[in-house]
Coordinates of all heavy atoms in Angstrom, one line a residue:
M1 N -7.7 21.7 -13.9 CA -6.5 21.1 -13.8 C -6.6 19.6 -13.6 O -7.3 19.2 -12.8 CB -5.6 21.8 -12.8 CG -4.2 21.2 -12.6 SD -3.4 22.0 -11.2 CE -4.6 22.8 -10.3
N2 N -5.9 18.9 -14.4 CA -5.9 17.4 -14.2 C -4.7 16.9 -13.4 O -3.6 17.0 -14.0 CB -6.2 16.7 -15.6 CG -7.4 17.1 -16.3 OD1 -8.5 17.2 -15.6 ND2 -7.3 17.5 -17.5
I3 N -5.0 16.3 -12.4 CA -3.9 15.5 -11.6 C -4.1 14.1 -12.0 O -5.2 13.6 -11.6 CB -3.8 15.9 -10.2 CG1 -3.5 17.3 -10.0 CG2 -2.8 14.9 -9.5 CD1 -3.6 17.8 -8.6
P4 N -3.1 13.5 -12.7 CA -3.3 12.1 -12.9 C -3.5 11.2 -11.6 O -2.6 11.3 -10.8 CB -2.1 11.6 -13.7 CG -1.2 12.8 -13.6 CD -1.9 14.0 -13.2
E5 N -4.5 10.4 -11.6 CA -4.8 9.6 -10.4 C -3.7 8.6 -10.3 O -3.2 8.3 -9.2 CB -6.2 9.0 -10.4 CG -7.1 9.9 -9.6 CD -8.5 9.2 -9.7 OE1 -8.6 7.9 -9.4 OE2 -9.5 10.0 -10.0
Q6 N -3.5 7.9 -11.3 CA -2.5 6.9 -11.2 C -1.4 7.1 -12.2 O -1.5 7.0 -13.4 CB -3.1 5.6 -11.6 CG -3.3 4.7 -10.4 CD -3.3 3.2 -10.7 OE1 -3.9 2.7 -11.7 NE2 -2.8 2.3 -9.8
H7 N -0.4 7.6 -11.6 CA 0.9 8.1 -12.5 C 1.8 6.9 -12.5 O 2.1 6.2 -11.5 CB 1.5 9.3 -11.9 CG 2.6 9.7 -12.7 ND1 2.3 10.5 -13.7 CD2 4.0 9.5 -12.6 CE1 3.5 10.9 -14.3 NE2 4.5 10.3 -13.7
T8 N 2.3 6.6 -13.7 CA 3.1 5.5 -13.9 C 4.6 5.8 -13.2 O 5.1 6.9 -13.5 CB 3.3 5.2 -15.3 OG1 2.0 5.1 -15.9 CG2 4.2 4.0 -15.6
I9 N 5.0 5.0 -12.4 CA 6.2 5.1 -11.8 C 7.4 4.4 -12.6 O 7.2 3.3 -13.1 CB 6.3 4.6 -10.3 CG1 5.3 5.4 -9.5 CG2 7.7 4.7 -9.8 CD1 5.1 4.8 -8.1
Q10 N 8.4 5.2 -12.8 CA 9.4 4.6 -13.7 C 10.6 4.1 -12.8 O 11.0 4.9 -11.9 CB 9.9 5.6 -14.7 CG 9.0 5.8 -15.8 CD 9.5 6.6 -16.9 OE1 10.0 7.7 -16.7 NE2 9.5 6.2 -18.1
C11 N 11.2 3.1 -13.2 CA 12.5 2.6 -12.4 C 13.6 3.6 -12.6 O 13.8 4.1 -13.7 CB 12.9 1.2 -13.0 SG 14.5 0.9 -12.5
P12 N 14.2 4.0 -11.4 CA 15.2 5.1 -11.5 C 16.4 4.6 -12.2 O 17.3 5.4 -12.8 CB 15.6 5.4 -10.1 CG 14.5 4.6 -9.2 CD 13.9 3.6 -10.1
Q13 N 16.6 3.2 -12.4 CA 17.7 2.6 -13.0 C 17.6 2.5 -14.5 O 18.5 2.9 -15.3 CB 17.9 1.2 -12.4 CG 19.2 0.6 -12.7 CD 20.4 1.1 -11.9 OE1 20.2 1.7 -10.9 NE2 21.7 0.9 -12.5
C14 N 16.5 1.9 -15.0 CA 16.4 1.7 -16.3 C 15.1 2.3 -17.0 O 15.0 2.2 -18.2 CB 16.4 0.2 -16.6 SG 14.8 -0.5 -16.0
G15 N 14.3 3.0 -16.2 CA 13.1 3.6 -16.7 C 11.9 2.6 -17.0 O 10.9 3.0 -17.5
G16 N 12.1 1.3 -16.5 CA 11.1 0.2 -16.7 C 9.9 0.7 -15.8 O 10.0 1.3 -14.8
I17 N 8.8 0.3 -16.1 CA 7.5 0.6 -15.5 C 6.9 -0.7 -14.8 O 5.8 -0.4 -14.2 CB 6.5 1.3 -16.2 CG1 6.1 0.4 -17.6 CG2 7.0 2.7 -16.7 CD1 4.9 0.9 -18.2
E18 N 7.5 -1.7 -14.8 CA 6.9 -3.0 -14.2 C 7.7 -3.3 -13.0 O 9.0 -3.4 -12.9 CB 6.9 -4.1 -15.2 CG 5.6 -4.1 -16.0 CD 5.5 -5.4 -16.8 OE1 5.1 -6.4 -16.2 OE2 6.0 -5.5 -18.1
F19 N 7.0 -3.4 -11.9 CA 7.8 -3.8 -10.7 C 7.0 -5.0 -10.0 O 5.9 -5.3 -10.0 CB 7.7 -2.7 -9.6 CG 8.3 -1.4 -10.1 CD1 7.8 -0.4 -10.7 CD2 9.8 -1.3 -9.9 CE1 8.4 0.7 -11.1 CE2 10.4 -0.2 -10.2 CZ 9.8 0.8 -11.0
E20 N 8.0 -5.8 -9.5 CA 7.6 -7.0 -8.7 C 7.3 -6.5 -7.3 O 8.1 -6.0 -6.7 CB 8.5 -8.2 -8.7 CG 8.2 -9.2 -9.6 CD 9.3 -10.2 -9.7 OE1 9.8 -10.7 -8.7 OE2 9.6 -10.7 -10.8
Q21 N 6.1 -6.7 -6.7 CA 6.0 -6.1 -5.4 C 4.9 -7.1 -4.6 O 4.4 -7.7 -5.1 CB 5.3 -4.7 -5.5 CG 3.9 -4.6 -6.2 CD 3.4 -3.3 -6.3 OE1 4.1 -2.4 -6.7 NE2 2.2 -3.1 -6.0
P22 N 5.2 -7.0 -3.3 CA 4.3 -7.8 -2.5 C 2.8 -7.5 -2.6 O 2.6 -6.4 -3.0 CB 4.7 -7.6 -0.9 CG 6.0 -6.7 -1.0 CD 6.1 -6.2 -2.4
Q23 N 1.9 -8.5 -2.3 CA 0.5 -8.2 -2.5 C 0.1 -7.0 -1.7 O -0.6 -6.1 -2.2 CB -0.3 -9.4 -2.1 CG -1.6 -9.7 -2.8 CD -1.5 -10.1 -4.2 OE1 -0.7 -11.1 -4.4 NE2 -2.2 -9.5 -5.2
V24 N 0.6 -7.0 -0.6 CA 0.2 -5.9 0.4 C 1.5 -5.0 0.7 O 2.5 -5.7 1.2 CB -0.4 -6.3 1.7 CG1 -0.7 -5.1 2.6 CG2 -1.6 -7.1 1.5
L25 N 1.5 -3.9 0.3 CA 2.7 -3.1 0.6 C 2.8 -2.4 1.9 O 1.8 -1.9 2.4 CB 2.8 -1.9 -0.5 CG 3.2 -2.5 -1.9 CD1 3.1 -1.3 -2.9 CD2 4.6 -3.0 -2.0
N26 N 4.0 -2.6 2.5 CA 4.1 -2.1 3.8 C 5.3 -1.0 3.7 O 6.2 -1.2 2.9 CB 4.3 -2.9 5.0 CG 3.1 -3.9 5.1 OD1 2.0 -3.4 5.4 ND2 3.3 -5.2 5.1
D27 N 5.3 -0.1 4.6 CA 6.4 0.8 4.6 C 7.6 0.0 4.9 O 7.7 -0.9 5.8 CB 6.4 1.8 5.8 CG 5.4 2.9 5.3 OD1 5.0 3.1 4.1 OD2 4.8 3.7 6.1
G28 N 8.8 0.3 4.2 CA 9.9 -0.5 4.5 C 10.1 -1.7 3.5 O 11.1 -2.4 3.5
D29 N 9.1 -1.9 2.8 CA 9.2 -3.0 1.8 C 10.1 -2.6 0.6 O 10.2 -1.5 0.4 CB 7.8 -3.4 1.2 CG 7.0 -4.3 2.1 OD1 7.6 -4.9 3.1 OD2 5.8 -4.5 2.1
W30 N 10.5 -3.6 -0.1 CA 11.3 -3.4 -1.3 C 10.6 -3.8 -2.5 O 9.8 -4.8 -2.5 CB 12.7 -4.1 -1.2 CG 13.5 -3.4 -0.2 CD1 13.4 -3.2 1.1 CD2 14.9 -3.0 -0.5 NE1 14.4 -2.6 1.6 CE2 15.3 -2.4 0.8 CE3 15.7 -2.9 -1.6 CZ2 16.5 -1.9 0.8 CZ3 16.9 -2.3 -1.5 CH2 17.4 -1.9 -0.3
V31 N 10.7 -3.2 -3.6 CA 10.0 -3.7 -4.8 C 11.2 -3.9 -5.8 O 12.2 -3.3 -5.8 CB 9.1 -2.7 -5.4 CG1 7.9 -2.4 -4.5 CG2 9.7 -1.3 -5.7
T32 N 11.0 -4.8 -6.7 CA 12.0 -5.2 -7.7 C 11.6 -4.9 -9.2 O 10.5 -5.2 -9.5 CB 12.3 -6.6 -7.6 OG1 12.6 -7.0 -6.2 CG2 13.4 -7.1 -8.6
C33 N 12.4 -4.2 -9.9 CA 12.2 -3.8 -11.3 C 12.2 -5.0 -12.0 O 13.1 -5.8 -12.0 CB 13.2 -2.8 -11.6 SG 13.0 -2.5 -13.6
V34 N 11.2 -5.3 -12.8 CA 11.1 -6.6 -13.6 C 12.2 -6.5 -14.8 O 12.7 -7.4 -15.1 CB 9.7 -6.7 -14.3 CG1 9.6 -7.9 -15.3 CG2 8.7 -7.0 -13.2
T35 N 12.3 -5.4 -15.3 CA 13.3 -5.1 -16.4 C 14.7 -5.3 -16.1 O 15.4 -6.0 -16.8 CB 13.0 -3.7 -17.1 OG1 11.6 -3.5 -17.1 CG2 13.7 -3.6 -18.5
C36 N 15.2 -4.6 -15.0 CA 16.6 -4.8 -14.8 C 16.9 -5.5 -13.3 O 18.0 -5.6 -13.0 CB 17.2 -3.2 -14.7 SG 16.7 -2.3 -13.3
A37 N 15.8 -6.0 -12.8 CA 16.0 -6.8 -11.5 C 16.7 -6.2 -10.4 O 17.2 -6.8 -9.5 CB 16.8 -8.2 -11.9
Q38 N 16.7 -4.9 -10.5 CA 17.2 -4.0 -9.3 C 16.1 -3.9 -8.4 O 14.9 -3.6 -8.7 CB 17.6 -2.6 -10.0 CG 18.4 -1.9 -9.1 CD 19.8 -2.3 -8.9 OE1 20.4 -2.5 -7.9 NE2 20.6 -2.3 -9.9
S39 N 16.5 -4.0 -7.0 CA 15.5 -3.7 -6.1 C 15.7 -2.3 -5.4 O 16.8 -1.8 -5.3 CB 15.7 -4.7 -4.9 OG 15.4 -6.0 -5.3
F40 N 14.5 -1.8 -5.2 CA 14.6 -0.4 -4.5 C 13.7 -0.4 -3.3 O 12.7 -1.0 -3.3 CB 14.1 0.6 -5.5 CG 14.8 0.6 -6.8 CD1 14.4 -0.2 -7.9 CD2 16.0 1.3 -6.9 CE1 15.0 -0.2 -9.1 CE2 16.7 1.3 -8.1 CZ 16.2 0.6 -9.2
P41 N 14.0 0.3 -2.3 CA 13.2 0.5 -1.1 C 11.8 1.3 -1.6 O 12.0 2.1 -2.5 CB 13.9 1.4 -0.2 CG 15.4 1.5 -0.6 CD 15.3 1.0 -2.1
L42 N 10.8 0.7 -1.1 CA 9.5 1.5 -1.5 C 9.5 2.9 -1.4 O 8.9 3.6 -2.2 CB 8.3 0.8 -0.6 CG 6.9 1.2 -1.0 CD1 6.6 0.9 -2.5 CD2 5.9 0.4 -0.1
D43 N 10.1 3.3 -0.3 CA 10.1 4.8 -0.1 C 10.8 5.6 -1.2 O 10.2 6.7 -1.6 CB 10.8 5.1 1.3 CG 9.9 4.7 2.5 OD1 8.7 4.4 2.3 OD2 10.5 4.6 3.7
D44 N 11.9 5.1 -1.7 CA 12.6 5.5 -2.8 C 11.7 5.7 -4.0 O 11.7 6.7 -4.7 CB 13.8 4.8 -3.1 CG 15.0 5.2 -2.2 OD1 14.7 5.8 -1.1 OD2 16.1 4.8 -2.5
I45 N 11.0 4.5 -4.2 CA 10.2 4.6 -5.5 C 9.0 5.5 -5.3 O 8.6 6.2 -6.3 CB 9.6 3.1 -5.7 CG1 10.8 2.1 -6.1 CG2 8.5 2.9 -6.7 CD1 11.4 2.4 -7.5
R46 N 8.5 5.5 -4.2 CA 7.4 6.5 -3.9 C 7.9 7.9 -4.1 O 7.2 8.7 -4.7 CB 6.9 6.4 -2.4 CG 5.9 5.4 -2.2 CD 5.1 5.7 -1.0 NE 4.2 4.6 -0.6 CZ 4.2 4.1 0.6 NH1 5.0 4.4 1.6 NH2 3.4 3.0 0.9
Q47 N 9.0 8.2 -3.6 CA 9.6 9.6 -3.9 C 9.8 9.9 -5.3 O 9.6 11.0 -5.7 CB 11.0 9.6 -3.0 CG 11.5 11.1 -3.0 CD 10.5 12.0 -2.4 OE1 9.9 11.8 -1.3 NE2 10.3 13.2 -3.1
V48 N 10.5 8.9 -6.0 CA 10.7 9.1 -7.4 C 9.2 9.2 -8.1 O 9.2 10.2 -9.0 CB 11.3 7.9 -8.1 CG1 11.3 7.8 -9.6 CG2 12.8 7.8 -7.6
G49 N 8.4 8.5 -7.7 CA 7.0 8.6 -8.4 C 6.4 10.0 -8.1 O 5.7 10.7 -9.0
L50 N 6.6 10.6 -6.8 CA 6.1 11.8 -6.5 C 6.8 12.9 -7.3 O 6.1 13.9 -7.8 CB 6.4 12.0 -5.0 CG 5.5 13.1 -4.3 CD1 4.1 12.7 -4.3 CD2 6.1 13.3 -2.8
D51 N 8.1 12.8 -7.4 CA 8.9 13.8 -8.2 C 8.4 13.7 -9.6 O 8.3 14.9 -10.3 CB 10.4 13.3 -8.1 CG 10.9 13.6 -6.9 OD1 10.3 14.4 -6.0 OD2 12.2 13.2 -6.6
Q52 N 8.2 12.6 -10.2 CA 7.8 12.4 -11.6 C 6.5 13.1 -11.7 O 6.1 13.7 -12.8 CB 7.9 11.0 -12.1 CG 9.3 10.5 -12.2 CD 9.2 9.0 -12.4 OE1 8.3 8.3 -12.4 NE2 10.6 8.5 -12.8
A53 N 5.5 12.7 -10.7 CA 4.1 13.3 -10.8 C 4.2 14.8 -10.8 O 3.4 15.6 -11.4 CB 3.2 12.7 -9.7
M54 N 5.1 15.3 -9.9 CA 5.2 16.8 -9.8 C 5.6 17.5 -11.0 O 5.3 18.5 -11.5 CB 6.1 17.1 -8.6 CG 5.7 16.8 -7.3 SD 3.9 17.7 -6.9 CE 4.6 19.2 -6.3
A55 N 6.5 16.8 -11.7 CA 7.2 17.3 -13.0 C 6.2 17.4 -14.0 O 6.1 18.3 -14.9 CB 8.3 16.4 -13.4
V56 N 5.1 16.6 -13.9 CA 3.9 16.6 -14.8 C 3.0 17.7 -14.3 O 2.4 18.4 -15.2 CB 3.3 15.3 -14.9 CG1 1.9 15.4 -15.8 CG2 4.2 14.3 -15.5
V57 N 2.7 17.9 -13.0 CA 1.7 18.7 -12.6 C 2.2 20.1 -12.5 O 1.4 21.2 -12.8 CB 1.2 18.2 -11.2 CG1 0.4 19.2 -10.4 CG2 0.6 16.9 -11.3
I58 N 3.4 20.3 -12.1 CA 3.8 21.8 -12.0 C 3.7 22.6 -13.2 O 3.1 23.8 -12.9 CB 5.3 21.8 -11.5 CG1 5.4 21.5 -9.9 CG2 5.9 23.1 -11.6 CD1 6.7 21.2 -9.4
P59 N 4.1 22.2 -14.5 CA 3.8 23.1 -15.5 C 2.3 23.4 -15.6 O 2.0 24.6 -16.1 CB 4.3 22.3 -16.7 CG 5.2 21.3 -16.1 CD 4.8 21.0 -14.7
E60 N 1.4 22.6 -15.3 CA 0.0 22.8 -15.4 C -0.4 23.8 -14.3 O -1.2 24.7 -14.7 CB -0.8 21.5 -15.2 CG -0.8 20.6 -16.3 CD -1.7 19.3 -16.2 OE1 -2.8 19.6 -15.5 OE2 -1.4 18.3 -16.5
I61 N 0.2 23.7 -13.2 CA -0.1 24.7 -12.2 C 0.4 26.1 -12.6 O -0.4 27.1 -12.4 CB 0.5 24.3 -10.8 CG1 -0.2 23.2 -10.2 CG2 0.4 25.5 -9.8 CD1 0.5 22.5 -9.0
K62 N 1.5 26.1 -13.1 CA 2.1 27.3 -13.6 C 1.3 28.0 -14.6 O 1.0 29.2 -14.7 CB 3.5 27.0 -14.1 CG 4.6 28.1 -13.7 CD 5.9 27.7 -14.3 CE 6.6 29.0 -15.0 NZ 7.5 28.7 -15.8
A63 N 0.8 27.3 -15.5 CA -0.1 27.7 -16.6 C -1.4 28.2 -16.0 O -1.9 29.3 -16.4 CB -0.4 26.5 -17.6
E64 N -1.9 27.5 -15.0 CA -3.1 28.1 -14.4 C -2.9 29.4 -13.6 O -3.7 30.3 -13.8 CB -3.5 27.0 -13.4 CG -4.2 25.7 -13.8 CD -5.5 26.1 -14.5 OE1 -6.4 26.6 -13.8 OE2 -5.7 25.5 -15.6
V65 N -1.8 29.5 -12.9 CA -1.5 30.8 -12.2 C -1.2 31.8 -13.2 O -1.7 32.9 -13.0 CB -0.3 30.5 -11.3 CG1 0.2 31.8 -10.8 CG2 -0.6 29.5 -10.2
E66 N -0.6 31.6 -14.3 CA -0.3 32.8 -15.2 C -1.6 33.1 -15.8 O -1.8 34.4 -16.1 CB 0.7 32.1 -16.4 CG 2.1 32.3 -15.9 CD 3.0 31.5 -16.8 OE1 2.6 31.0 -18.0 OE2 4.2 31.5 -16.5
K67 N -2.5 32.2 -16.1 CA -3.8 32.5 -16.6 C -4.6 33.3 -15.7 O -5.3 34.4 -16.1 CB -4.6 31.2 -17.0 CG -5.3 31.2 -18.4 CD -6.1 30.0 -18.6 CE -5.4 28.8 -18.8 NZ -6.3 27.6 -18.6
M68 N -4.6 33.1 -14.5 CA -5.2 33.7 -13.4 C -4.6 35.2 -13.2 O -5.4 36.1 -13.2 CB -5.0 33.0 -12.1 CG -6.0 33.2 -11.1 SD -5.7 32.2 -9.6 CE -4.4 33.1 -8.8
L69 N -3.3 35.3 -13.3 CA -2.7 36.7 -13.2 C -3.1 37.4 -14.3 O -3.3 38.8 -14.1 CB -1.1 36.4 -13.1 CG -0.6 36.0 -11.8 CD1 1.0 35.7 -11.9 CD2 -0.9 36.8 -10.7
E70 N -3.0 36.9 -15.6 CA -3.5 37.6 -16.7 C -4.8 38.1 -16.7 O -5.2 39.4 -16.9 CB -3.4 36.7 -17.9 CG -3.0 37.3 -19.3 CD -2.9 36.3 -20.3 OE1 -1.9 35.4 -20.2 OE2 -3.8 36.1 -21.2
G71 N -5.7 37.2 -16.0 CA -7.1 37.6 -15.8 C -7.1 38.8 -14.9 O -7.9 39.9 -15.1
L72 N -6.3 38.8 -13.8 CA -6.3 39.8 -12.8 C -5.9 41.2 -13.5 O -6.6 42.3 -13.1 CB -5.4 39.5 -11.6 CG -5.8 38.5 -10.6 CD1 -4.8 38.4 -9.6 CD2 -7.0 39.2 -9.9
F73 N -4.8 41.1 -14.2 CA -4.3 42.3 -14.8 C -5.2 43.0 -15.8 O -5.5 44.1 -15.9 CB -3.0 42.1 -15.5 CG -1.9 42.0 -14.5 CD1 -1.1 40.9 -14.3 CD2 -1.6 43.2 -13.6 CE1 -0.1 40.9 -13.5 CE2 -0.6 43.1 -12.7 CZ 0.3 41.9 -12.6
K74 N -5.9 42.1 -16.5 CA -6.9 42.5 -17.6 C -8.0 43.3 -16.8 O -8.5 44.4 -17.2 CB -7.5 41.4 -18.3 CG -6.7 41.1 -19.6 CD -7.3 39.9 -20.3 CE -6.4 39.4 -21.5 NZ -6.6 38.0 -21.9
G75 N -8.5 42.6 -15.7 CA -9.6 43.2 -15.0 C -9.2 44.6 -14.5 O -9.9 45.6 -14.3
K76 N -7.9 44.8 -13.9 CA -7.3 45.8 -13.4 C -7.2 47.1 -14.4 O -7.7 48.2 -13.9 CB -5.9 45.7 -12.8 CG -5.5 46.5 -11.6 CD -4.2 45.9 -11.1 CE -3.7 46.8 -10.0 NZ -2.4 46.4 -9.5
F77 N -6.8 46.8 -15.5 CA -6.6 47.8 -16.4 C -7.8 48.1 -17.4 O -7.8 48.9 -18.2 CB -5.3 47.5 -17.3 CG -4.2 47.5 -16.5 CD1 -3.4 46.3 -16.3 CD2 -3.7 48.6 -15.7 CE1 -2.3 46.3 -15.6 CE2 -2.6 48.6 -14.9 CZ -1.9 47.4 -14.9
K78 N -9.0 47.5 -17.1 CA -10.2 47.8 -18.0 C -10.6 49.2 -17.8 O -10.7 49.6 -16.6 CB -11.1 46.6 -17.7 CG -11.8 46.2 -19.0 CD -12.8 45.1 -18.6 CE -12.3 43.8 -19.4 NZ -13.2 42.7 -19.0
Ligands
ZN101 ZN1 14.7 -1.1 -13.8

């Protein structure tokens, strides 16, 4: 299973992927979308990024589990 190490975070507002951010990010910082100039709390962006990453990863996990279950049943009924 491949979990992308660096998942691209998209702006919740416009879907842009470029953000202006401080050199060093701290909790509570805000980042600004380059495309629509909308600012978002870093926590929100992180959450969105996490949700998006999960949306990519979950189908893969599901496929893995289904494959595993299939293998189990095959073994059982052999
Ligand atoms: Zn934007």
Side-chain angles (χ1 to χ4, degrees):
M1 183 181 10
N2 299 315
I3 297 174
E5 263 182 45
Q6 257 208 320
H7 188 80
T8 307
I9 297 174
Q10 287 186 313
C11 168
Q13 189 79 20
C14 72
I17 53 164
E18 276 189 78
F19 294 93
E20 263 176 40
Q21 58 185 48
Q23 206 76 43
V24 180
L25 285 170
N26 295 302
D27 285 343
D29 276 350
W30 286 58
V31 293
T32 305
C33 172
V34 173
T35 313
C36 69
Q38 189 79 235
S39 293
F40 304 96
L42 182 59
D43 287 345
D44 279 15
I45 291 295
R46 272 199 192 132
Q47 190 55 50
V48 169
L50 201 65
D51 289 348
Q52 288 170 354
M54 289 304 271
V56 172
V57 169
I58 282 173
E60 287 188 35
I61 293 173
K62 226 181 126 194
E64 287 291 313
V65 170
E66 274 167 10
K67 228 187 284 173
M68 207 177 74
L69 286 176
E70 209 176 291
L72 276 180
F73 281 122
K74 269 182 193 158
K76 206 175 179 179
F77 295 119
K78 222 177 240 176

